Amino acid sequence: MKRKTFIASLALLAALPFVSCSKSESKGKLTIALLPKSKGNQYFVTCEKGARAAAADLDAELKFDGPINSDPAKQNEIVENWITDGVDVIVASCENKDSISTALKKAQSSGIKVVTFDADAQKDARSFFVNQATPQGIGQQLMDTAASLTGGEGEFAIITGTLTAANLNEWIKYIKEQNAAKYPNMKLVDIKPCDDQKDKAQQEATNLLSAHPNLKAIVAVCSPAVPGAAEAVKQAGKTGAVKVLGLGLPSENRTYVKDGVTQAVILWKVEDLGYLSVMAGAAVAKGELKPGAADFTAGKLGKMTVEGDNIILGKPFVFTKENIDQFDF
């Protein structure tokens, strides 16, 4: 290239405004980053299975990373790395909605689309939230089931993941509301965190059984807490006397359910949640799902309902001794 032409080219480049362009805008293969609360939790392992199926259907690349245990700071660090990597869309389950929202907003400013699932961020830190069920529906289902198992009377306790988990706190809020509205003879005596660890849940359940000898039920609102509470009840020799129920996976609770230690496991189809979340993230990245939409088609799941900025997976399901063998996740 001649010197005069070269200099003219430099001048032209300098005059152009800076324009960023995400990979999705350039129609390349999508890179979708899925962030669980903790990647060792079987719940999120099952989510990943569904997410990878969706990525295969979309011919997209899926990145899956998260803290070993629930750790908001580690989630922020992973999001920062993905911003540097320039992924197309981040699909996140948020341990602490306020803590992670700043990082997610930064991702949006960098041209990365953001969708949340399982546990939401601040509304302006994402486009849509893939909601496994409404918080009200989950809380009411848990309280109604606890009341059904105890005859609507007696003391009960809750074991949660962490005291800062927004979705768990939302469900607990509706448990309390349903308790006050429909079951005045049931008394919530304590709420203990297990940090999403089965062993800690077992220890907290043991402590609850000791501190409250008249306890009639333990309600677990995170998946590791259900088998943890069941093991504590079993070892205390209180099988059947203290009812165990909660949100968990059939595969992790099958033995306890069949032995009569755990009476009810409540959940949704977790693999479908992972599948739907990745489908929603891809649809947003491609501009196929925009604010104001009433529905969108999520691959093999078909047409899904959108309520405001929430994409609804469906109603909770109760797994019992009679039906638990029908499910393999």
Side-chain angles (χ1 to χ4, degrees), residues 86-311:
V87 301
D88 291 303
V89 55
I90 294 173
V91 182
S93 175
C94 307
E95 174 58 36
N96 184 310
K97 67 187 301 182
D98 296 323
S99 171
I100 200 170
S101 290
T102 299
L104 294 179
K105 289 174 187 175
K106 181 179 177 181
Q108 289 178 317
S109 298
S110 303
I112 297 171
K113 302 298 184 183
V114 176
V115 169
T116 53
F117 78 105
D118 179 68
D120 203 4
Q122 293 174 356
K123 285 180 174 291
D124 58 352
R126 48 71 171 167
S127 299
F128 288 92
F129 172 49
V130 180
N131 199 339
Q132 56 271 47
T134 65
Q136 185 175 21
I138 294 170
Q140 289 181 348
Q141 183 70 68
L142 286 166
M143 191 65 230
D144 289 344
T145 303
S148 174
L149 292 170
T150 60
E153 294 184 348
E155 298 178 350
F156 73 102
I158 293 173
I159 298 181
T160 185
T162 66
L163 297 177
T164 59
N167 60 333
L168 307 188
N169 288 337
E170 188 78 354
W171 301 340
I172 291 170
K173 180 185 79 173
Y174 285 110
I175 289 174
K176 291 178 177 177
E177 286 189 4
Q178 189 78 339
N179 181 195
K182 295 187 65 175
Y183 308 108
N185 293 326
M186 292 191 71
K187 180 182 178 183
L188 175 60
V189 295
D190 210 344
I191 301 174
K192 292 293 187 183
C194 72
D195 297 334
D196 284 323
Q197 297 176 43
K198 178 187 171 185
D199 290 347
K200 185 171 181 182
Q202 181 179 340
Q203 184 57 56
E204 292 292 359
T206 299
N207 295 341
L208 286 167
L209 292 170
S210 176
H212 305 282
N214 295 321
L215 202 65
K216 296 299 182 186
I218 297 177
V219 180
V221 299
C222 68
S223 57
V226 191
E231 187 61 34
V233 168
K234 180 181 176 181
Q235 292 194 14
K238 294 192 174 184
T239 295
V242 177
K243 310 299 184 185
V244 177
L245 67 143
L247 300 168
L249 296 170
S251 59
E252 292 182 330
N253 296 283
R254 195 180 316 278
T255 301
Y256 293 115
V257 170
K258 288 192 168 187
D259 289 346
V261 184
T262 297
Q263 282 68 39
V265 178
I266 299 167
L267 203 62
W268 38 90
K269 294 180 179 178
V270 179
E271 192 171 328
D272 285 352
L273 178 62
Y275 187 93
L276 175 58
S277 300
V278 165
M279 281 288 172
V284 171
K286 293 176 180 177
E288 297 170 354
L289 176 58
K290 298 180 179 179
D295 55 56
F296 89 105
T297 300
K300 68 179 182 181
L301 299 180
K303 187 173 290 186
M304 307 301 294
T305 300
V306 180
E307 296 180 1
D309 56 10
N310 276 223
I311 302 165

